[in-house]
Amino acid sequence: MRTLVSPLALRTPRGRLMYWTILTVVVVGFTGAFVFPLYWMVTGALKSPDELAQIPPSFFPKSFDLGVYADAWEQLQLGVFLKNTALYAGGAWLFTLAVDVTAAYALSKLRPFFGKLILGAMLATLMIPPMVLLLPTYLVAKDLPIFHLNLLNTPWAIWLPAAANGFFVFLLKRFFDSIPRELLEAAEIDGASPLRILWSIVLPVSRPILGVVSILSVVTVWKDFVWPLLVLPETDKMSISVGIASLSAQMPQNVLIASLVIASLPTILVFFAFQRSIMAGLTAGSLKG
């Protein structure tokens, strides 16, 4: 196999020096591109409004006054908004796993008669721009068909649309397709029902994809702005993004940035928590030979 640089050239002192130099520059460059905005946000909260407005900007705050975070917590009612958003994100996560996992399992392993048609219809919804779906989804939430319930200003207006996600169903189905059929057949011989197979066999070996879906579902609800703005207009039920935006005009710039730092911390913690689950599940689900 031919490469741009031959293995023999990489074994020379000059080749090793060039290799490690390029690797270091690439790693440091990409790390800086991702970490620097977080650093700028955290340090920006520690600067005074005058220091934030100065040109050119300073890379280090002149004083480290952590009291601005306490001011942001009290003045923007972050406790209420965080509690609301945690409720919305947690419920959306549970509904997403319950609906999308069972749908993907049925399409992958139970294989209903119109399974391919149903999957194609789900994937077709991904071709529609989200903004086009805002009005019909809002009308459905305002007057739920059949039941004629008004879901506005309730968590159900966030939970139900979040659970209907064709992309998650597709991801889960593709992963379930890779699970060896022998595992399921052995469980069927032992008398396990389809639901028991899903709970005891499929889910334990699917921790990597469940971690990915969990991260995406929680982060999507946590950072969403337009949909919560439409369906949760009451102040005491706003999500964190809508709540901060509604009060931002009255707040100093450093207090506003401090509130953004606090609002971003839970999603970072969720990522690191589920990252361990992803790494732990990479070797799960092998067959014994």
Side-chain angles (χ1 to χ4, degrees), residues 42 44 112 117 159 165 173 186 214 239:
V42 173
L117 180 62
W159 295 343
N165 194 305
K173 180 187 179 301
S214 298
S239 63

Side-chain angles (χ1 to χ4, degrees), residues 208-246:
I209 193 62
L210 293 179
V212 172
V213 171
S214 298
I215 292 174
L216 293 177
S217 62
V218 171
V219 172
T220 299
V221 174
W222 197 276
K223 68 184 182 65
D224 196 9
F225 177 78
V226 177
W227 181 245
L229 179 65
L230 290 176
V231 300
L232 301 169
E234 294 184 6
T235 304
D236 59 340
K237 297 181 179 179
M238 287 181 177
S239 63
I240 186 70
S241 57
V242 178
I244 291 176
S246 64

Side-chain angles (χ1 to χ4, degrees), residues 177-262:
D177 288 342
S178 66
I179 298 177
R181 184 68 188 175
E182 290 82 355
L183 282 175
L184 309 185
E185 291 176 349
E188 290 176 355
I189 293 175
D190 291 339
S193 63
L195 185 59
R196 181 60 184 270
I197 293 174
L198 172 63
W199 181 260
S200 301
I201 297 178
V202 175
L203 292 184
V205 303
S206 302
R207 285 179 292 174
I209 193 62
L210 293 179
V212 172
V213 171
S214 298
I215 292 174
L216 293 177
S217 62
V218 171
V219 172
T220 299
V221 174
W222 197 276
K223 68 184 182 65
D224 196 9
F225 177 78
V226 177
W227 181 245
L229 179 65
L230 290 176
V231 300
L232 301 169
E234 294 184 6
T235 304
D236 59 340
K237 297 181 179 179
M238 287 181 177
S239 63
I240 186 70
S241 57
V242 178
I244 291 176
S246 64
L247 300 175
S248 61
Q250 323 168 28
M251 298 297 156
Q253 200 71 14
N254 58 341
V255 174
L256 178 60
I257 297 177
S259 67
L260 298 177
V261 174
I262 296 174

Side-chain angles (χ1 to χ4, degrees), residues 93-134:
W93 171 62
L94 292 176
F95 274 94
T96 296
L97 291 184
V99 174
D100 295 350
V101 167
T102 52
Y105 174 69
L107 293 173
S108 175
K109 300 303 181 183
L110 303 183
R111 297 182 179 179
F113 186 72
F114 294 106
K116 293 184 178 180
L117 180 62
I118 295 172
L119 179 62
M122 290 182 180
L123 295 179
T125 62
L126 303 179
M127 310 301 173
I128 305 175
M131 297 303 295
V132 175
L133 298 175
L134 274 180

